[in-house]
Amino acid sequence: MSRQCRYGRGKQLVAHRRGTAISVDNYSDWQIRRLNGGEYLRPRRSDDWWLQPDTLTFLHRYPQGMTTRAFELTHAPSGRRLLLTAQDLYFDAAAQFSDTAKGETSSWDFRRRLLRSLRSKVLVLGQLLTSGDYGQDGLNLLNPKEAAQLLPAVADTLLRRGRGYRAVLLKDLYPTDSPHTAALLRKPFTLLPTDPCMLLPLRWPDLEAYVADLSSKYRVRYRRARTKLAGIQRRSLPAREVTERLDRIYALYRITSQGAAVNLTALTPDYFRWLGQHATVHGYFDPAGELIGFTTALANGPAYQAHYLGLEESYKRSHHLYHNMLFDLLGDALAGDFTTLDYGRTALEIKSSVGAVPHSYATLLRLCSPLLNPLVPFFLPAVFTAPQWQQRHPFR
């Protein structure tokens, strides 16, 4: 492991924590400054929910499996200004990746057994709690060569002022097929296998017009799913009720998250209490009034983002509950006059059957050790392999 990953520089660390701008290592024209709690620098992007001070302050004060900070990067000669989210994550292959996530391995599974005992601190540039490039603003102002020079330098600047880091992860900063990603892969980062983000452009005035646009096959599936939901009541949950039902909401989230192939976050009940005040929460109730599922969604500028959800597994089949949740989120997005419904990652095929299309963002990894970094591609299949899936085309 390189020295820059292990040892900090005391005086510069103190100045950095106080919000004083310092030069990016080897790029003195660029200054980096950590934003103070509650400080807001208006992003250029309209979908700025993840860069809002309320969001960043909460995630800093209440870590959800990772610590969160925000940084401003300024380039004096050109006047460019960038915003970037940074998080510290502890990688734990045994806890965060299920055996179902890996690809083909030997019967003894040597690589996974070796990784199972490791727990490594990782510096993440990007936002782990959502899919897509919402954890940054202004990176489009960099050309590919600049991005490939500046982002590793920013990472090295933060690594030198922290302790115990073993790796750097650039998460969803650029599309996978972007020339910026190609330039970063020469630095050398490794492209990790990830699911695409599933986005649905909203071109219909309401849900009735959406259904009319489906092919007959998928119109039948829509009506069958809606019929299956008979007896289940869906209604909005105000913040007070979210707090009152917090134990049940968290239990439903845990039921769903424990079945995930990959789970890098460790959400706490506080997160759902906070979502009750800053997001749209809907509950699903059985005829006896028992909460059997919930969804959360974010009004993020022109995008309506599906966020965390939870449900009783038995209702997924008997009432097509997950499928109906996707349709209900679509109805909410259309009623809210958004231009895009962001379904996030996972469950790719069923989301594509609703009409969502894949958009791939690059997640890039570089180990601090120059000796171990070339081995990343060798160990990847033992941790995660992107599943094969068939994209559906539900429209006429």
Side-chain angles (χ1 to χ4, degrees):
M1 183 172 59
S2 64
R3 291 178 62 86
Q4 71 185 39
C5 296
R6 299 183 65 180
Y7 304 111
R9 299 175 180 174
K11 292 182 179 179
Q12 290 175 312
L13 177 62
V14 171
H16 194 219
R17 285 179 174 171
R18 290 176 181 169
T20 302
I22 58 174
S23 295
V24 174
D25 290 357
N26 300 316
Y27 291 91
S28 58
D29 284 348
W30 283 95
Q31 300 283 302
I32 184 170
R33 181 176 70 89
R34 179 174 171 179
L35 300 183
N36 296 316
E39 185 176 0
Y40 179 55
L41 300 175
R42 182 171 298 279
R44 296 171 184 84
R45 62 189 306 160
S46 56
D47 50 355
D48 64 350
W49 195 93
W50 291 97
L51 298 172
Q52 292 279 347
D54 285 346
T55 304
L56 294 169
T57 298
F58 175 83
L59 294 179
H60 176 68
R61 292 177 178 173
Y62 299 92
Q64 303 299 310
M66 76 289 290
T67 59
T68 300
R69 298 156 288 163
F71 292 91
E72 177 192 36
L73 288 160
T74 55
H75 186 244
S78 66
R80 285 175 293 177
R81 179 176 62 85
L82 317 177
L83 300 179
L84 193 59
T85 305
Q87 296 176 313
D88 292 345
L89 168 74
Y90 282 90
F91 170 80
D92 186 336
Q96 296 165 342
F97 295 82
S98 75
D99 283 345
T100 61
K102 67 183 181 181
E104 293 186 7
T105 58
S106 67
S107 58
W108 201 69
D109 208 352
F110 169 77
R111 291 170 294 178
R112 193 171 181 89
R113 289 173 183 267
L114 183 63
L115 290 171
R116 191 167 290 154
S117 61
L118 299 179
R119 189 170 186 268
S120 303
K121 185 178 180 183
V122 179
L123 172 66
V124 181
L125 299 184
Q127 177 56 259
L128 287 166
L129 286 170
T130 190
S131 304
D133 66 348
Y134 298 110
Q136 61 82 26
D137 181 59
L139 289 187
N140 61 307
L141 300 176
L142 303 175
N143 63 44
K145 181 179 179 180
E146 286 179 309
Q149 293 172 339
L150 180 63
L151 291 174
V154 168
D156 289 342
T157 303
L158 299 180
L159 290 173
R160 292 180 188 278
R161 289 156 180 84
R163 293 182 180 276
Y165 291 108
R166 302 296 180 90
V168 175
L169 191 73
L170 307 184
K171 181 186 178 291
D172 294 353
L173 299 182
Y174 291 105
T176 303
D177 59 0
S178 163
H180 298 75
T181 297
L184 284 163
L185 286 171
R186 295 192 287 269
K187 278 303 161 178
F189 284 86
T190 298
L191 179 66
L192 302 185
T194 57
D195 288 343
C197 303
M198 300 301 289
L199 306 182
L200 178 55
L202 302 176
R203 61 178 186 264
W204 311 275
D206 51 36
L207 200 54
E208 183 179 351
Y210 162 81
V211 175
D213 202 22
L214 294 172
S215 67
S216 59
K217 172 183 175 180
Y218 286 94
R219 201 177 309 124
V220 168
R221 290 185 178 182
Y222 171 85
R223 289 171 178 158
R224 182 187 302 129
R226 301 311 255 175
T227 301
K228 288 282 188 178
L229 201 60
I232 303 300
Q233 179 194 15
R234 178 186 191 250
R235 61 178 174 83
S236 176
L237 301 183
R240 173 189 52 79
E241 190 171 1
V242 169
T243 298
E244 292 172 352
R245 298 183 180 274
L246 192 59
D247 289 346
R248 179 59 175 162
I249 287 172
Y250 191 67
L252 290 169
Y253 155 72
R254 293 284 294 167
I255 290 171
T256 301
S257 65
Q258 286 172 356
V262 180
N263 191 2
L264 297 179
T265 61
L267 300 186
T268 66
D270 284 328
Y271 188 67
F272 293 97
R273 180 186 290 111
W274 181 75
L275 284 178
Q277 301 170 352
H278 295 84
T280 300
V281 184
H282 281 92
Y284 291 79
F285 297 85
D286 69 10
E290 177 72 13
L291 182 67
I292 50 93
F294 75 92
T295 60
T296 63
L298 313 175
N300 190 3
Y304 193 64
Q305 276 193 273
H307 201 36
Y308 288 97
L309 58 79
L311 70 158
E312 288 282 4
E313 285 295 311
S314 61
Y315 285 87
K316 188 181 292 185
R317 287 191 175 87
S318 65
H319 290 72
H320 291 203
L321 184 53
Y322 183 74
H323 202 180
N324 276 295
M325 286 176 166
L326 297 181
F327 288 132
D328 287 334
L329 288 164
L330 172 57
D332 295 340
L334 292 171
D337 199 29
F338 296 94
T339 60
T340 302
L341 172 55
D342 185 346
Y343 277 125
R345 290 189 166 105
T346 72
L348 307 179
E349 195 159 323
I350 191 171
K351 289 174 180 175
S352 76
S353 76
V354 175
V357 293
H359 292 258
S360 295
Y361 286 90
T363 296
L364 306 174
L365 177 68
R366 188 194 74 192
L367 301 187
C368 292
S369 168
L371 296 178
L372 296 179
N373 192 51
L375 298 178
V376 171
F378 172 74
F379 280 94
L380 272 180
V383 179
F384 181 76
T385 298
Q388 298 294 314
W389 65 286
Q390 182 178 353
Q391 184 176 352
R392 303 296 179 175
H393 304 278
F395 300 114
R396 293 183 293 177

